Amino acid sequence: MNIRWGRVAMDPFSQLILLISVVSFCTFQWLFHSVSPWVSSRISPGFLKLTLKQKIEWNSRTVSTLHALLVGLFCLYILFFDEAVNQDPVWGDPTLVKINVSITTGYLISDLLLIFYYWRAIGDKFFVIHHLAALYAYYYVLGQGMLPYFANFRLLAEFSTPCVNQRWFFEVLGYPKASKPNMANGVLMALVFFLVRIAVMPVYYSRMCSVYGTEAFYKVSFGGRSAWIFSSICLDIMNVMWMHKIARGCYKVLRSSRKSKPESQENGKTD
């Protein structure tokens, strides 16, 4: 790090990461305000019938889905092919992880801005806590390049987002809860959410325990360790809460659909 004229000069890669975050922020703002309304009005006639509040949430969820697919696929690539990160989860070469996290950072800041600006439509204190906890942790990843494996592993959770959003799309478009598309998406949502947010917890925390107390662990600053552990616990508490709600909702729909089948069959016999 060079110091010139009393100012700290950023290295070229740090400038690139900052640029990616800014471009990510601007891109997701553009997708929300321009692309989503234009595309949605043409592929889904029901979009034009929505209220202003519903259109705001629709656009927010559309952008959320696009971000989840982009970052999730990048995350899988890193998980399977980035040997440096997998061999050294604390200080492995964070180049690809930083790029992926910088995209997410831009999205999170963009989404926070939209949440506060359209609070009456999409305001949610749990999402604010979620975004702030993630940004707090990502600060250390982007700033100091620490804990790349764990940061990337966290992004696996994004794979559950498209199904969660699709459930809302079906609901606002008036699809019955017992309809086949809604039920199929509901079961898939519960399954994927469990796999990428709940079932992976033992793997994540066992890897955390494996590096605890090592030389690499103690090289991480106190703030970095606090952000890592605090954010993980905070996010997983919310994941368990959301999983409970999703499981209950899925169970109710499946149970109601089973009850409605015998009734429909009986009605068919009497006609």
Side-chain angles (χ1 to χ4, degrees):
M1 183 167 59
N2 298 321
I3 300 179
R4 297 176 181 176
W5 304 101
R7 296 181 180 180
V8 179
M10 295 176 63
D11 64 86
F13 185 68
S14 296
Q15 293 177 7
L16 175 62
I17 292 301
L18 179 60
L19 177 62
I20 292 174
S21 298
V22 172
V23 171
S24 172
F25 172 87
C26 295
T27 300
F28 287 117
Q29 284 286 315
W30 173 63
L31 290 171
F32 174 87
H33 290 288
S34 301
V35 178
S36 177
W38 187 85
V39 174
S40 299
S41 63
R42 284 159 176 75
I43 66 174
S44 179
F47 175 78
L48 297 175
K49 301 177 183 178
L50 301 179
T51 64
L52 177 60
K53 180 178 178 180
Q54 289 172 329
K55 287 180 180 178
I56 292 172
E57 184 162 0
W58 178 292
N59 295 329
S60 174
R61 289 180 179 272
T62 299
V63 173
S64 171
T65 296
L66 293 174
H67 163 261
L69 293 174
L70 172 64
V71 172
L73 291 174
F74 199 179
C75 171
L76 278 182
Y77 175 83
I78 295 172
L79 192 64
F80 287 117
F81 299 107
D82 195 329
E83 295 182 2
V85 169
N86 288 296
Q87 291 178 359
D88 185 356
V90 181
W91 292 105
D93 181 12
T95 301
L96 293 181
V97 175
K98 277 190 172 185
I99 293 174
N100 206 20
V101 169
S102 64
I103 295 173
T104 296
T105 297
Y107 165 75
L108 291 176
I109 296 174
S110 172
D111 199 46
L112 273 176
L113 178 64
L114 294 173
I115 288 174
F116 289 131
Y117 189 79
Y118 298 107
W119 185 263
R120 292 185 178 181
I122 57 176
D124 189 317
K125 60 182 180 180
F126 288 110
F127 277 107
V128 172
I129 295 173
H130 172 275
H131 287 10
L132 291 177
L135 287 172
Y136 177 53
Y138 290 156
Y139 164 78
Y140 289 94
V141 179
L142 296 177
Q144 302 180 33
M146 58 179 64
L147 307 167
Y149 172 87
F150 298 100
N152 186 69
F153 200 95
R154 274 293 168 193
L155 290 175
L156 280 174
E158 291 299 325
F159 276 114
S160 66
T161 301
C163 289
V164 174
N165 289 336
Q166 188 60 47
R167 179 193 179 193
W168 185 88
F169 291 142
F170 281 145
E171 180 181 348
V172 80
L173 290 175
Y175 279 70
K177 289 185 177 181
S179 64
K180 289 185 178 179
N182 217 335
M183 290 180 61
N185 180 73
V187 173
L188 182 62
M189 176 181 67
L191 178 62
V192 174
F193 195 98
F194 176 78
L195 289 176
V196 301
R197 292 179 182 256
I198 306 301
V200 296
M201 284 186 188
V203 178
Y204 180 85
Y205 286 104
S206 64
R207 196 69 190 270
M208 181 187 290
C209 291
S210 69
V211 300
Y212 181 82
T214 63
E215 182 179 353
F217 174 83
Y218 286 115
K219 285 183 179 179
V220 177
S221 64
F222 176 78
R225 295 199 297 267
S226 300
W228 173 27
I229 298 172
F230 170 76
S231 296
S232 296
I233 295 174
C234 181
L235 293 173
D236 283 332
I237 288 174
M238 286 188 286
N239 283 332
V240 171
M241 291 170 58
W242 286 329
M243 183 73 249
H244 181 254
K245 290 183 179 180
I246 291 173
R248 286 185 61 186
C250 185
Y251 174 75
K252 288 181 180 179
V253 172
L254 291 175
R255 187 176 181 181
S256 62
S257 66
R258 289 177 181 176
K259 287 183 178 179
S260 62
K261 284 183 179 180
E263 292 178 0
S264 61
Q265 291 173 358
E266 289 177 5
N267 293 335
K269 289 179 181 179
T270 56
D271 290 341

